[in-house]
Amino acid sequence: MMSSDHSEPKNIPSPQVINNASLAHQGSPHKFLIPSPIVTRRTRTFSTSERAKEGPRLAGTIRSFCRNRGHGWVLPANAAEPLFVHISDIEGEYVPKEGDEVSYQTCPVPPKNEKVQAVHVQITHLAPGVSHEKWDCPSPKS
């Protein structure tokens, strides 16, 4: 006789489902979508966050940022390749807009850690002539 531990599939606890993958079909606990490869502040390890905090603060400009999609790009002041920035790494009360000057630190992007993304991003100067909204305001419909 099989024990009850192996006879029925176990449900994954809700926090783990939310952090690692989404259920493809609510009725079946075995069909998952692939977890997102984007490393957000919530999924980054503590040691990686601490190493990023110890690094230098760099300057750059927002090249683009989409509040609805939750990500954008920072163009470093040294005119290197644009860096990815996730919505969870934006600090401050305003939603970044194209042309905003920012300061940031960098963090390696797994699994190979060959590229870096912008983290701890703070707007240092709002772009003139651009309408800025605060995070607590509803997103404008586009």
Side-chain angles (χ1 to χ4, degrees):
M1 180 175 194
M2 293 181 110
S3 72
S4 63
D5 289 343
H6 300 289
S7 61
E8 292 184 27
K10 294 194 180 231
N11 289 331
I12 295 174
S14 294
Q16 188 174 351
V17 171
I18 292 168
N19 290 334
N20 294 329
S22 300
L23 288 173
H25 301 288
Q26 293 297 335
S28 173
H30 297 291
K31 296 182 181 181
F32 289 96
L33 297 175
I34 296 173
S36 174
I38 297 171
V39 180
T40 67
R41 182 178 289 186
R42 292 179 301 276
T43 59
R44 192 176 306 129
T45 64
F46 179 75
S47 61
T48 303
S49 292
E50 288 304 305
R51 275 184 267 144
K53 285 181 183 177
E54 292 172 1
R57 288 221 49 95
L58 305 169
T61 306
I62 296 292
R63 179 173 143 196
S64 65
F65 187 84
C66 180
R67 181 178 183 177
N68 294 334
R69 290 184 180 168
H71 69 271
W73 300 93
V74 173
L75 187 60
N78 64 6
E81 183 177 317
L83 301 174
F84 176 83
V85 60
H86 188 266
I87 194 169
S88 67
D89 288 307
I90 306 293
E91 298 174 356
E93 63 181 319
Y94 289 100
V95 177
K97 297 286 186 171
E98 184 176 344
D100 287 347
E101 294 175 17
V102 295
S103 67
Y104 62 93
Q105 292 168 298
T106 59
C107 177
V109 178
K112 295 182 180 180
N113 296 330
E114 293 174 347
K115 293 186 176 189
V116 294
Q117 70 183 49
V119 296
H120 306 295
V121 178
Q122 295 177 335
I123 299 174
T124 56
H125 184 74
L126 297 173
V130 177
S131 175
H132 285 81
E133 68 239 15
K134 292 186 177 186
W135 290 108
D136 58 358
C137 296
S139 179
K141 305 226 189 275
S142 47

